[in-house]
Amino acid sequence: MSDVRILFMGTPDFAAASLKALLAAKQAVIGVVTQPDRPVGRKQVLTPSPVKKLALEHGLPVLQPEKIKERAALDEVLALKPELIVTAAYGQILPAELLAAPRWGAINVHASLLPKYRGGAPIHRAIMAGERETGVTIMYMVEELDAGDMLSKVVVPIEERDTVGSLHDKLAAAGAALLVDTIPRLLRGEIEPEPQNHQAATFAPTIKRSDEWIDWSKPAEAIYNQVRGLHPWPVACTRFQGKLWKVWWVEKVSTEGTSEQPGTVLERVSDGLVIACGTGSVKLVEIQPEGKRRMSMREYLQGAGPQLQPGCTLGD
């Protein structure tokens, strides 16, 4: 606990975990800056961010500038006179004037072991790349993306069946705990900031629509990692007879080569379809056909799937 005036800037559930931890540790959070309410769902209901919801529950002032770099928005934030800024997945680049204002600087909770996976989608990209571990880094913010000196780190293993959803929750909890451990040590002058090795930096760009399409010519291991790396959002996809299929889950069947064309149905079993990959094969076990709900392949094959037999091709 300290009386240093902390301004928290964040938006999604990952950030809310850190804010919740700061409040539980009785840090002096003076206000919150988060993204404006956004329309959500089929009915496009205007919805506050998880950070805003939590802040209002605790009676904290909330600012929601559309663009933090605009003069009026910046002046409003600076008027709070923060002595330390803490950010976590805020969603906007902070201007240099704001970074320089707090006495104790601006620090960020980032969901990777920097300098690897700088950018907006470090959790997705780490799983999709088949990494066996990732973690959280707390570092000073600078104008360059995720390039500031590091203050602390925690390693989190990536389990074989981790998805973006499960790993997100692990990292959010690990980051929150690391944050409340780091701030007191930072304020006592016990941390020597560690510069990043910029030559070793890798980047995790935001997920694009093109990242969702399964390329069946890739190895089975890569396709398995892609599917779990996009689960539960935005979900990998393929096509069958011109129709979109969201692919919620696959199981690895073989990592050895096959002579069949990638995307070919090799076998139809009661609970799925075994599909040829560039190397090896996977079994589709959960899909969402275009215009329908999410379902198991067992259910799909019992109903609308009699046309799916060995020799059919996905990805057309």
Side-chain angles (χ1 to χ4, degrees):
M1 178 180 178
S2 76
D3 57 359
V4 171
R5 295 168 57 83
I6 297 174
L7 177 65
F8 187 85
M9 305 180 70
T11 299
D13 286 319
F14 179 83
S18 287
L19 175 59
K20 187 175 183 179
L22 288 178
L23 295 170
K26 301 190 182 305
Q27 294 289 346
V29 180
I30 58 169
V32 159
V33 184
T34 187
Q35 293 279 41
D37 297 359
R38 302 295 189 199
V40 173
R42 289 186 176 182
K43 295 184 178 179
Q44 294 290 281
V45 177
L46 205 58
T47 303
S49 73
V51 164
K52 179 180 178 180
K53 291 179 182 176
L54 180 61
L56 293 178
E57 289 173 7
H58 288 267
L60 293 172
V62 176
L63 301 178
Q64 297 179 274
E66 192 69 49
K67 294 181 179 178
I68 190 68
K69 291 184 177 181
E70 290 185 349
R71 187 71 253 172
L74 188 54
D75 286 344
E76 194 173 18
V77 174
L78 292 172
L80 294 173
K81 300 186 182 307
E83 294 176 303
L84 172 67
I85 290 177
V86 175
T87 72
Y90 170 54
Q92 296 188 43
I93 302 296
L94 304 193
E97 185 178 349
L98 182 56
L99 295 177
R103 173 189 175 194
W104 294 96
I107 63 175
N108 178 243
V109 184
H110 184 76
S112 81
L113 297 174
L114 292 171
K116 295 182 71 175
Y117 297 106
R118 296 176 180 176
I123 306 176
H124 292 81
R125 298 292 182 187
I127 294 179
M128 292 169 73
E131 298 282 3
R132 299 297 179 90
E133 69 175 24
T134 183
V136 178
T137 304
I138 295 178
M139 83 289 189
Y140 279 122
M141 296 190 72
V142 294
E143 288 191 79
E144 187 179 352
L145 181 66
D146 300 326
D149 290 355
M150 301 177 292
L151 301 171
S152 57
K153 286 183 178 181
V154 61
V155 174
V156 175
I158 300 177
E159 306 293 340
E160 174 67 17
R161 297 181 71 82
D162 263 332
T163 65
V164 164
S166 64
L167 187 58
H168 166 279
D169 292 349
K170 294 178 184 179
L171 292 172
L178 185 65
L179 180 63
V180 296
D181 176 72
T182 299
I183 288 178
R185 293 194 294 122
L186 176 67
L187 299 180
R188 291 195 298 264
E190 297 175 356
I191 297 178
E192 184 66 32
E194 176 188 356
Q196 294 188 39
N197 178 2
H198 301 296
Q199 302 302 316
T202 62
F203 294 88
T206 302
I207 298 295
K208 304 184 298 293
R209 181 64 173 162
S210 58
D211 293 312
E212 301 169 24
W213 291 103
I214 295 175
D215 178 355
W216 293 104
S217 69
K218 290 185 176 179
E221 184 80 30
I223 291 173
Y224 175 72
N225 289 335
Q226 179 187 8
V227 170
R228 68 193 184 106
L230 297 173
H231 178 114
W233 185 87
V235 185
C237 58
T238 188
R239 287 191 183 278
F240 175 63
Q241 295 183 341
K243 297 290 187 181
L244 173 71
W245 278 12
K246 287 191 173 183
V247 178
W248 283 87
W249 197 251
V250 298
E251 298 285 0
K252 287 182 288 186
V253 175
S254 169
T255 56
E256 298 182 358
T258 170
S259 58
E260 296 292 340
Q261 184 74 16
T264 300
V265 177
L266 299 176
E267 187 179 4
R268 174 176 171 149
V269 292
S270 61
D271 62 346
L273 295 172
V274 179
I275 311 297
C277 305
T279 304
S281 57
V282 297
K283 182 169 69 176
L284 286 181
V285 295
E286 191 175 12
I287 65 168
Q288 184 173 359
E290 186 172 324
K292 298 184 178 179
R293 61 177 173 80
R294 176 179 172 181
M295 64 184 73
S296 68
M297 277 304 295
R298 180 189 298 275
E299 185 180 4
Y300 181 78
L301 293 174
Q302 288 173 344
Q307 76 277 24
L308 267 169
Q309 297 295 336
C312 291
T313 303
L314 300 182
D316 56 345

